[in-house]
Amino acid sequence: MKAHSPHLLDLAKSTTHAAPCRWRTAFARSAVALFTLLLAAQLWAAPAPWYWWRSKVDGVRICAQTSPGTGWERDSAPFAGPGCAPKPRVFVIPMR
C-alpha cells in the first residue's frame, strides 16, 4: 500500500501545532475573569442569620436559618450566633 504524500503529512503537522485561535484566547480570558469575579463575591459572603420559627398548626418552635415550609412563621428577630444562641456578653475588667 502506498504511503501518503509528503504534502498531506506536512499539512497535518501544521494544523495540529497551530497557534491558538483568537476565540480560544478570548474564551480563556473570559473564563478567568468570571472565575475571579465569583471568587471575589465569595469574600463578601456572610452566613445566614438564625431565627425561631413557630408552627401554625400546633405552636411548636424550632431554630433554623431558613423557613421549614409553608406552615411556619418567623417568631423572633435574627440571631447573630449559631443555633439561636444569644450573642455572648464580654466584660472587660481593667487591671490595676
Side-chain angles (χ1 to χ4, degrees):
M1 193 159 196
K2 188 175 179 183
H4 294 295
S5 68
H7 176 67
L8 290 176
L9 289 176
D10 290 339
L11 181 63
K13 287 179 184 176
S14 66
T15 58
T16 57
H17 299 300
C21 297
R22 289 184 189 190
W23 66 270
R24 285 184 184 170
T25 305
F27 177 76
R29 287 182 182 164
S30 299
V32 168
L34 179 64
F35 178 74
T36 305
L37 207 85
L38 290 175
L39 187 62
Q42 291 295 319
L43 293 176
W44 286 295
W50 291 81
Y51 297 97
W52 280 108
W53 297 89
R54 182 179 303 278
S55 171
K56 293 179 183 178
V57 176
D58 57 4
V60 173
R61 288 179 65 183
I62 64 168
C63 179
Q65 289 179 312
T66 59
S67 174
T70 57
W72 296 83
E73 58 188 13
R74 195 165 39 188
D75 194 36
S76 71
F79 287 91
C84 296
K87 193 173 185 178
R89 291 182 157 195
V90 179
F91 296 103
V92 178
I93 301 172
M95 299 279 299
R96 286 190 189 210

